[in-house]
Amino acid sequence: MGVINLTDHEGDIHQLEAQPGEKLMEVIRDAGFPIEAICGGEGACATCHVHVQSDWYDKLPKPDPKELDSVEVAMTFEPGMSRLSCQILFSDDLNGLNVTLANDDI
Ligand code: FES
């Protein structure tokens, strides 16, 4: 087990427990944070968009072309930070990962 540090829309930081193999989207959603994930984790809707702190971004497996196509249309897309949380599987290497909920409704 490990933790991720999630910054919410108010700027508050929360430590969430995560298990290896769990999708980051599920960790965030199951902890009660507002993440719609309307495609159910298929990488097609971008409603699970998060901003990954830049020093962590490069430690993640690279996004595949389908993920990039989806996330690039998000309102608050940031190159080098934006990822779909449903496409990130937690692992021991990601213990302490810092992510921020994207606010694409603004
Ligand atoms: S849940 Fe739809 S893209 Fe992640």
Side-chain angles (χ1 to χ4, degrees):
M1 189 183 69
V3 296
I4 66 162
N5 299 303
L6 176 74
T7 303
D8 66 18
H9 291 155
E10 283 72 46
D12 296 324
I13 300 171
H14 308 266
Q15 225 172 43
L16 309 181
E17 292 183 352
Q19 303 289 343
E22 254 187 308
K23 289 182 176 186
L24 196 59
M25 174 273 280
E26 294 168 343
V27 173
I28 297 169
R29 184 196 59 196
D30 293 351
F33 291 92
I35 203 156
E36 290 183 85
I38 56 178
C39 77
E42 295 299 316
C45 71
T47 60
C48 65
H49 178 201
V50 293
H51 294 139
V52 178
Q53 195 179 46
S54 49
D55 56 339
W56 279 100
Y57 187 89
D58 292 335
K59 296 177 185 169
L60 298 174
K62 300 276 177 268
D64 67 19
K66 180 183 170 198
E67 177 181 351
L68 280 177
D69 283 350
S70 295
V71 77
E72 282 175 357
V73 300
M75 195 174 296
T76 62
F77 173 74
E78 293 282 349
M81 294 178 74
S82 285
R83 292 296 304 263
L84 299 179
S85 60
C86 69
Q87 301 301 301
I88 300 171
L89 295 181
F90 186 77
S91 67
D92 291 336
D93 291 345
L94 300 183
N95 190 27
L97 177 71
N98 293 322
V99 298
T100 299
L101 280 181
N103 194 351
D104 292 321
D105 297 332
I106 51 176

